Amino acid sequence: MRLLIRLRATADARYNNAAHHKLRGRLWKGLDRSEFDDLHDSGRPPGICNSQIFPWGEIETGDQRHVLVAAADRDVLQAVADGLVADREFNVGEMRFRIEEVVPLSPDVGEPGSTGTLETGSGVLVRIPPWRQDEYGIADESDGESLFWRPEYSTEPFQTQLVNNLDRKHNRFQPDYLPGPSDSDGDLFEEYELLKTYALPLTVSEGEQREVVLSKWRFGYRVRDDDHRRHLNLALDTGIGERNALGLGFLNIEDKTLPTGEPA
């Protein structure tokens, strides 16, 4: 479940690619004084993820841009939509827009037998805790702190931490009797293609900024069964990796082929 927000620029502005915290604040503004007001400070995964403003590039008055918002809980997503429709001014720092339209979308990886590709629209944050670094063959260089995943650590810790993280989201947003990603045979994705790794100063809360290491990926998949389909769609709804509420780990379906071999 997600929303496509169509925006029209109301002022010229330089594109700010580090405005994650301000963008989250604008999107969550509609949750204030709603039944989901406490999501801000609950400490639990909120199950909300968003793209950055796209397309990237300098902004001129009258330009059209977009933002996508996804959520695991339909009621939370409806509250976000209600807030956006009620207040159509959409300002993210110096980037100023007016909301023209909010469109509901329901992306789906497809029924069992479908194949396709998912691509991260924003960087993925994966941390490796100190107690697992020896298990992954990572030299002790963290001084007791978690390490941000980097290509030199191999893809094994990335895949394992990614699935563990999705397990926690599954436990929070799916019924207990349904198997989670690590309960199922087979990998979450068939192919992991690393597109790039980069560092970014990220404002994680008001007044607190950290330098983080992010990676962008293209994942190939084949839907094995209904459980696997649910896991992949959960990743679309919540994002992958950590700090999804800041717009990290947002996934898009790049292409999809039906079990019949026809493109979807």
Side-chain angles (χ1 to χ4, degrees):
M1 299 174 288
R2 56 181 59 184
L3 304 171
L4 171 65
I5 307 165
R6 299 190 194 279
L7 305 170
R8 186 71 65 181
T10 57
D12 297 350
R14 174 178 292 181
Y15 191 95
N16 183 357
N17 61 5
H20 300 72
H21 182 62
K22 293 181 184 299
L23 178 55
R24 176 182 63 175
R26 175 59 190 92
L27 291 168
W28 286 34
K29 187 177 175 183
L31 298 180
D32 292 343
R33 295 182 293 280
S34 76
E35 62 179 304
F36 305 107
D37 192 17
D38 66 346
L39 275 181
H40 300 79
D41 305 313
S42 68
R44 305 186 304 270
I48 303 176
C49 191
N50 59 271
S51 72
Q52 297 305 298
I53 297 170
F54 64 93
W56 293 48
E58 299 301 294
I59 299 167
E60 295 184 0
T61 303
D63 282 355
Q64 188 174 62
R65 300 295 165 97
H66 305 85
V67 175
L68 287 161
V69 186
D73 186 322
R74 186 180 299 275
D75 293 335
V76 170
L77 195 63
Q78 183 61 55
V80 173
D82 291 344
L84 293 169
V85 171
D87 177 6
R88 290 180 177 261
E89 192 174 80
F90 195 94
N91 298 330
V92 180
E94 298 302 314
M95 300 185 287
R96 308 178 76 82
F97 303 92
R98 181 165 179 78
I99 297 171
E100 292 193 323
E101 190 176 20
V102 179
V103 182
L105 303 174
S106 299
D108 188 328
V109 295
E111 61 187 283
S114 301
T115 60
T117 307
L118 304 181
E119 190 167 316
T120 53
S122 55
V124 181
L125 192 155
V126 166
R127 288 182 298 178
I128 304 170
W131 58 87
R132 301 207 68 171
Q133 291 166 18
D134 186 53
E135 172 188 342
Y136 293 138
I138 298 173
D140 183 7
E141 57 184 62
S142 66
D143 196 25
E145 299 291 330
S146 294
L147 295 170
F148 296 112
W149 181 87
R150 304 165 189 268
E152 55 264 37
Y153 300 152
S154 83
T155 56
E156 182 200 351
F158 180 87
Q159 294 180 39
T160 302
Q161 296 300 125
L162 200 72
V163 170
N164 290 347
N165 178 275
L166 193 61
D167 270 335
R168 291 193 287 276
K169 294 165 183 167
H170 190 276
N171 292 340
R172 174 158 170 69
F173 298 109
Q174 300 289 327
D176 293 341
Y177 61 85
L178 293 174
S182 63
D183 298 322
S184 304
D185 293 331
D187 295 329
L188 183 64
F189 302 116
E190 285 194 332
E191 298 173 350
Y192 289 74
E193 179 185 355
L194 176 63
L195 302 178
K196 68 175 182 179
T197 307
Y198 58 103
L200 185 75
L202 185 70
T203 301
V204 296
S205 61
E206 197 66 45
E208 182 183 3
Q209 191 175 78
R210 296 178 189 172
E211 185 85 0
V212 300
V213 179
L214 308 176
S215 52
K216 285 197 170 184
W217 294 82
R218 185 177 294 129
F219 304 112
Y221 70 86
R222 175 181 293 276
V223 182
R224 292 187 301 274
D225 50 33
D226 288 335
D227 289 330
H228 189 213
R229 179 183 188 178
R230 187 180 63 258
H231 301 155
L232 292 171
N233 283 335
L234 177 65
L236 283 172
D237 287 343
T238 62
I240 56 172
E242 302 175 53
R243 297 286 185 179
N244 305 124
L246 286 172
L248 302 183
F250 190 82
L251 285 173
N252 290 306
I253 299 175
E254 288 302 301
D255 61 73
K256 183 171 73 176
T257 301
L258 302 174
T260 58
E262 300 173 68

